[in-house]
């Protein structure tokens, strides 16, 4: 006789309400498929003469999608660059880096780990156009950005000290020493040509 047909998940989880059965339960429909819908499914058929089960695995995949693309950066010479490049995907994407269109060579100063690029002790030749490529067997995406390594001697033109500061006796006075400098400048203070040393005041 015509069998009865039922469906279930092998892991025993109940079907969400969105799942629909069609044509006397012979067809299962899963709208808006999500990762949690993946798994092993069973079709159970039964009549007065016996029972049979057919199993099928439903797998989820997704091409890479950016979680964190790279953006243009300006970094001081001798500093360390850390560029995090992250994408989602199923299976998990792998990463490659290019500099000015050519494969980036991994060496002592230059390391790549889980998509993140680290370049220590930057020099001017590290400047250029970098590209992070994320890929799995379902797709490839890329993100590009400019690295500018900058070097300059200390410059007070944009943050000069005031030539005259008037304060009341007994009050506190603050002087700021903030030159523009790459790498960061070391600052020291003098009063009338004599080196100042830190004390309780």
């Amino acid at each position: 006789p015509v069998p009865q047909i039922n469906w279930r998940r092998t892991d025993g989880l109940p079907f969400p309400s969105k799942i629909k059965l069609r044509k006397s339960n012979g067809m299962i429909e899963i709208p808006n498929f999500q990762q949690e819908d993946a798994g092993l499914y069973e079709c159970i058929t039964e009549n007065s003469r016996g029972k049979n089960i057919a199993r099928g695995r439903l797998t989820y995949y997704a091409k890479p999608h950016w979680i964190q693309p790279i953006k243009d950066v300006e970094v001081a010479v001798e500093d360390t660059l850390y560029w995090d490049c992250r994408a989602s995907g199923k299976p998990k994407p792998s990463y490659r880096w290019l500099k000015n269109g050519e494969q980036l060579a991994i060496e002592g100063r230059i390391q790549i780990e889980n998509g993140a690029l680290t370049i220590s002790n930057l020099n001017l030749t590290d400047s250029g156009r970098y590209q992070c490529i994320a890929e799995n067997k379902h797709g490839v995406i890329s993100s590009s950005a400019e690295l500018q390594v900058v070097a300059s001697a200390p410059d007070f033109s944009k943050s000069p000290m005031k030539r005259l500061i008037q304060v009341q006796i007994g009050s506190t006075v603050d002087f700021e020493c903030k030159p523009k400098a790459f790498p960061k400048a070391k600052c020291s203070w003098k009063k009338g040509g004599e080196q100042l040393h830190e004390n309780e005041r």
Side-chain angles (χ1 to χ4, degrees):
V2 175
Q4 285 190 327
I5 302 173
N6 290 297
W7 288 84
R8 70 182 180 199
R9 286 182 62 133
T10 304
D11 56 18
L13 290 174
F15 285 159
S17 57
K18 69 177 181 177
I19 288 184
K20 300 177 177 63
L21 299 175
R22 306 286 191 205
K23 295 184 180 177
S24 301
N25 292 0
M27 182 184 294
I28 190 170
E29 181 182 315
I30 308 175
N32 189 27
F33 180 74
Q34 300 294 322
Q35 188 166 1
E36 59 267 21
D37 296 320
L40 197 62
Y41 286 74
E42 295 180 345
C43 173
I44 303 103
T45 60
E46 189 173 13
N47 65 11
S48 59
R49 305 295 292 174
K51 181 179 179 180
N52 208 340
I53 298 176
R55 295 180 178 88
R57 181 173 299 279
L58 188 57
T59 56
Y60 167 88
Y61 77 84
K63 61 185 180 181
H65 177 78
W66 286 121
I67 297 173
Q68 185 169 319
I70 57 174
K71 295 179 180 179
D72 294 350
V73 289
E74 187 178 275
V75 189
V77 68
E78 299 177 12
D79 276 2
T80 296
L81 166 73
Y82 180 79
W83 239 343
D84 195 7
C85 175
R86 275 184 287 152
S88 63
K90 184 75 174 180
K92 189 177 178 180
S94 60
Y95 299 91
R96 292 184 291 120
W97 283 83
L98 306 179
K99 179 188 176 186
N100 298 329
E102 296 184 1
Q103 191 74 31
L104 188 61
I106 308 302
E107 44 105 350
R109 291 190 313 114
I110 301 172
Q111 297 296 322
I112 297 172
E113 187 175 352
N114 296 326
L117 171 66
T118 304
I119 306 178
S120 57
N121 194 25
L122 285 163
N123 58 58
L124 296 178
T125 63
D126 292 318
S127 296
R129 192 78 182 167
Y130 287 75
Q131 194 172 26
C132 176
I133 299 170
E135 59 188 314
N136 65 16
K137 63 183 180 181
H138 303 294
V140 180
I141 55 175
S142 67
S143 175
S144 61
E146 194 82 24
L147 167 64
Q148 186 176 2
V149 180
V150 290
S152 69
D155 177 11
F156 284 98
S157 61
K158 292 187 177 178
S159 57
M161 286 182 64
K162 291 181 180 178
R163 299 194 64 82
L164 176 64
I165 300 176
Q166 292 182 319
V167 293
Q168 190 174 0
I169 291 175
S171 62
T172 299
V173 62
D174 290 311
F175 296 96
E176 280 195 325
C177 180
K178 286 188 173 180
K180 181 180 179 182
F182 301 102
K184 188 176 180 180
K186 293 179 180 177
C187 296
S188 61
W189 287 88
K190 291 182 178 181
K191 179 190 173 188
E194 286 189 22
Q195 191 77 32
L196 281 176
H197 299 286
E198 193 170 336
N199 58 35
E200 66 275 4
R201 288 182 54 237

